[in-house]
Each structure stands twice: as C-alpha cells, then as structure tokens.
Amino acid sequence: MAVKENSRGKFSSLLILLQGLLIIIFVVFVEYDEDTLPEASNQAVIDSKYPVFQDVHTLVVVGFGLLLLFLKKYGFSGLGYTFLIAGVTMQWAAVMDGFLNMKNDKIQLGINSLVTGDLATLTVIITFGAILGKTSNLQLMVIAFFEVTYYILNRNICTKYLQAVDYGGGMYIHLFGSCFGLMVTRILYQTRAVAHENETSRYTSDLFAATGTLFLWVYWPSLNAVLLEGTLQYRAIVNTYYALTASCVTAFGLSSLITKGSKLSMDFPLTEHKLHLQ
C-alpha cells in the first residue's frame, strides 16, 4: 500500500473531504426507518435479518479480504484496500439507493440499507480482483465511486421496471462486477503488465487465500438468502448449503484426476475462487 510522497497529501485530503460530505448528507437527508425507531412494533424484522446480515458482512470483509491476498506482491494492498473500499462504498451505496427510494423526502436508514451497502461493496471487490496492482489509490476510489453508482442504478431499474428477479445476485452482483472489471482492465491495459512476475502467488499468499475461500464457503448460504424472508429464505439456505457441499466434493474429485500422482490438491478449488475475482 505504498503511496508516493507527492500524492499522499492529496489522497488523504480526498478521503477526509469525502467522509465530511457523507456526514453532511447523513445529517441533512437521512432518518431511521420504521423498524429502527424506539416505538417500532415489529422487532422480529431486526431479529431475523441481522444474523444473516452479519454472515454477509463477514463474507465480504473477511472472506474476500483474505482471498485478495493471492498475489505475493500485492497481498497487503489487497487486504488494506478491501477495508478502505468497504468503508466508503457501504456509506455511498446507502445514500445512492436511499435517494432513489426516499420516503417523506428522507433516506431511510436501517437493516436493509446495511445489506445494500454490503452487496454494493461485494460488486466493487469483485472488480478489484481484476485490477489489483494495476491502479493507484486515487484511481481505485474513482472506480469504486462510479461502480457503486452504476450498480445501484442498474439494480433499481431492473427490479422496478423490468421486474427481473435475482435474489442470489448472480446478475446484479457477480456478472455486473465481472463485466465492470473487464471494462476497466481493457481501459488500463498495458502490454508490459501482461504475465508480470508480480502477478504470481506463493505458498503463504495461497494459504491466506485458501482461508478466505473457507470463509466464503461457510457464509455463502447467507449471501444467497439475505434478500429473502420467511420460508423462502430458509429454503435458499438449505439449497445453497447442499450445492456447496456437492461442489466441494466434485472439485476435489476432479483435482485428484488431473493432479500428478492422483493426489488431492487445494489448488483446484482455490483456483475457482481466484477466477471468480479475475
């Protein structure tokens, strides 16, 4: 996460200014939603949604943060910038989505805005996996700002006007983040950066990435079910749980077939998640 001396002050000033603007927006335009007020009558909404939100929050920050350690040269940058991106995009996503869904001319702040922030952050992190080590800190913040804006607009248009259902986020999150990342990498493409020695892994970086993979594996059912309620949520959790167990066994089985000496290899299931980021 090294920052050049001549840009350190500019980037620090940008972050402080950005956070100050967000605070002003929250003070002027934001209020608690009905489920968050002291007189809220339906406490069950918070009780049922918050545990699933916690799982998604852990998956996004810890799981993907560790997974982004897969490059030996940029591991610390991957983890640190994941933390920074999360802090900015979670706030900006809540503001953007709130402006498009205002009630009484106010942005509604509650458990749903927390979930919106996490899902938007996940989209940016997927893109980040494709540009890790290729952008400056300022470029990264600009990319995150515009991607969250386009993600929120795209999701609202698709759900409100096209009536497109995607509770698991396959289209709105993973596909959008991947396509956005491909677009950015094409813009930033440099011939000398192709197959660079810094874009390789080593044992320790793969070990941390494998730990991140385990976090993703454990918490993924909650990600697929976080936007659902009641029996639909439980059904999504059960279905995703068994789909993950089946894919795990299949991945190790295939690794045994293609690995020298027919040995089980962690590289095969780990590569699947690396490709998801690249």
Side-chain angles (χ1 to χ4, degrees):
M1 293 181 64
V3 182
K4 296 180 180 179
E5 286 292 336
N6 58 358
S7 64
R8 181 179 301 170
K10 294 180 180 179
F11 185 64
S12 300
S13 300
L14 173 65
L15 289 180
I16 295 172
L17 176 62
L18 179 60
Q19 185 58 63
L21 291 174
L22 286 170
I23 291 174
I24 293 174
I25 292 174
F26 270 75
V27 171
V28 176
F29 295 103
V30 174
E31 68 177 11
Y32 290 121
D33 65 11
E34 296 177 353
D35 295 324
T36 316
L37 294 174
E39 60 270 18
S41 58
N42 192 8
Q43 180 65 28
V45 174
I46 303 298
D47 294 339
S48 63
K49 287 188 176 183
Y50 187 71
V52 183
F53 159 74
Q54 278 186 310
D55 291 348
V56 175
H57 201 55
T58 304
L59 180 147
V60 172
V61 179
V62 181
F64 276 94
L66 290 173
L67 189 57
L68 282 169
L69 292 172
F70 68 93
L71 293 180
K72 64 179 182 181
K73 181 68 175 179
Y74 304 110
F76 197 67
S77 296
L79 185 60
Y81 281 126
T82 297
F83 201 7
L84 174 59
I85 288 172
V88 174
T89 56
M90 287 174 183
Q91 296 179 75
W92 178 237
V95 169
M96 271 298 302
D97 189 67
F99 273 124
L100 296 177
N101 299 279
M102 297 183 79
K103 186 176 181 181
N104 299 325
D105 296 326
K106 290 287 187 178
I107 296 173
Q108 301 298 300
L109 191 67
I111 190 68
N112 290 326
S113 60
L114 302 184
V115 172
T116 298
D118 272 5
L119 297 182
T121 300
L122 177 54
T123 307
V124 178
I125 291 175
I126 291 173
T127 298
F128 184 31
I131 59 176
L132 181 59
K134 299 182 176 68
T135 60
S136 66
N137 45 25
L138 181 58
Q139 288 175 322
L140 186 59
M141 294 306 299
V142 172
I143 291 169
F145 176 84
F146 281 104
E147 183 169 7
V148 169
T149 303
Y150 293 141
Y151 163 79
I152 294 296
L153 290 173
N154 177 67
R155 183 153 205 149
N156 276 272
I157 291 172
C158 290
T159 54
K160 289 182 178 180
Y161 302 105
L162 302 181
Q163 301 296 313
V165 178
D166 182 30
Y167 290 112
M171 294 186 298
Y172 299 147
I173 299 174
H174 309 293
L175 181 60
F176 182 87
S178 300
C179 291
F180 198 93
L182 289 173
M183 178 192 69
V184 173
T185 53
R186 182 63 186 89
I187 295 173
L188 300 176
Y189 175 79
Q190 295 180 358
T191 305
R192 59 186 175 84
V194 177
H196 195 277
E197 63 177 359
N198 288 338
E199 297 186 354
T200 57
S201 62
R202 58 187 174 192
Y203 178 78
T204 51
S205 64
D206 274 345
L207 188 60
F208 279 112
T211 305
T213 300
L214 293 179
F215 272 95
L216 266 61
W217 196 80
V218 170
Y219 291 114
W220 205 270
S222 294
L223 176 63
N224 275 358
V226 69
L227 296 177
L228 296 168
E229 296 180 0
T231 57
L232 289 177
Q233 185 180 76
Y234 296 135
R235 192 182 307 166
I237 290 173
V238 171
N239 290 343
T240 306
Y241 177 91
Y242 284 105
L244 287 169
T245 56
S247 66
C248 176
V249 175
T250 303
F252 277 106
L254 292 176
S255 73
S256 179
L257 288 176
I258 66 175
T259 303
K260 186 177 180 180
S262 298
K263 295 181 179 180
L264 293 177
S265 174
M266 186 62 188
D267 289 338
F268 194 80
L270 179 58
T271 301
E272 294 182 358
H273 290 282
K274 286 183 182 179
L275 291 174
H276 181 68
L277 285 172
Q278 291 177 302

